[in-house]
Amino acid sequence: MKLLLTGDSLIARKEGLKGPRLDYTLKKKNSNIETINTAVPGINSGAFFALISDLVLKIDHCDKLILLLGTNDLALHKKVPLEQFKQNMALIISSIVCLYYPNNFIMISPPAVDEHKQEKRINNDVAAYTAELEQVANNYKIHFINLFEKMVKQGSLTTLCQGQLDDGLHFGAAGYELLANLIIKELDNNS
């Protein structure tokens, strides 16, 4: 199965590896997975929409598209208003569903953050943006992984959000293990 992984730094981060940690973790769990990763650190929904041709539409077609956005939209120092974020995500999804029908499209919410370390994002905002994102995903009938909710339920945000940067947002092995498990489960449920 060939996956197009795209979005922000959480999809792009290498965390000490030669390639993105998420790609590595997914392939370790399922050797039949191939990945193309076009994620861009720091990107928000508006910038993603502006680059959608290069990040998605011009890329060789894959079996599934996995997209994680919103982390930078809700950052306190560069916040995109919630209604604008919702409109941006609807534009992005409507532009992509021509290539990736709803059954082949998985949207992932922004992650929970460890508020003891993360100074630019708060979980109340993550919850609000996640709720809007889930509503847009449901409107288009695309698959949705509520990473925020799953991280909160698993607990120990300090452990899940501890990566090389140790900033309460960019996670390491434990966070990527959880994310990869959620993606694999979703792939298994709709293949």
Side-chain angles (χ1 to χ4, degrees), residues 9-10 13 71-72 74-78 111-126 151 157-158 161-163 165-171:
S9 63
L10 296 164
R13 285 194 63 74
T71 311
N72 296 302
L74 59 86
L76 299 172
H77 63 299
K78 53 184 177 180
V113 298
D114 178 357
E115 291 179 342
H116 299 293
K117 294 179 182 173
Q118 179 52 223
E119 298 173 356
K120 297 179 175 148
R121 291 159 185 87
I122 58 172
N123 284 321
N124 281 341
D125 286 347
V126 179
M151 288 177 76
L157 289 177
T158 302
C161 299
Q162 186 173 19
L165 288 178
D166 200 20
D167 63 357
L169 168 67
H170 296 95
F171 35 82

Side-chain angles (χ1 to χ4, degrees), residues 36-105:
I36 297 175
N37 192 317
T38 63
V40 179
I43 201 165
N44 69 13
S45 59
F48 189 92
F49 182 68
L51 296 172
I52 201 165
S53 183
D54 291 332
L55 299 177
V56 177
L57 303 177
K58 289 182 182 175
I59 304 298
D60 288 342
H61 190 74
C62 296
D63 298 306
K64 304 281 182 182
L65 169 74
I66 298 171
L67 174 63
L68 188 158
L69 279 175
T71 311
N72 296 302
D73 294 86
L74 59 86
L76 299 172
H77 63 299
K78 53 184 177 180
K79 189 176 269 191
V80 173
L82 192 53
E83 192 57 37
Q84 183 64 54
F85 170 69
K86 187 176 179 179
Q87 289 173 11
N88 291 350
M89 294 309 300
L91 285 169
I92 289 166
I93 294 169
S94 64
S95 298
I96 294 173
V97 294
C98 61
L99 286 179
Y100 291 95
Y101 301 123
N103 197 42
N104 297 322
F105 192 154

Side-chain angles (χ1 to χ4, degrees), residues 131-164:
E132 292 298 329
L133 186 58
E134 186 168 19
Q135 183 181 6
V136 174
N138 288 339
N139 288 345
Y140 284 90
K141 299 183 177 16
I142 62 172
H143 297 272
F144 184 76
I145 295 173
N146 191 329
L147 178 59
F148 169 74
E149 181 180 272
K150 299 293 186 188
M151 288 177 76
V152 170
K153 278 186 182 174
Q154 184 159 326
S156 187
L157 289 177
T158 302
T159 302
L160 289 173
C161 299
Q162 186 173 19
Q164 287 182 330

Side-chain angles (χ1 to χ4, degrees), residues 163-184:
Q164 287 182 330
L165 288 178
D166 200 20
D167 63 357
L169 168 67
H170 296 95
F171 35 82
Y176 282 108
E177 191 73 20
L178 173 63
L179 179 54
N181 285 339
L182 293 170
I183 292 170
I184 295 287

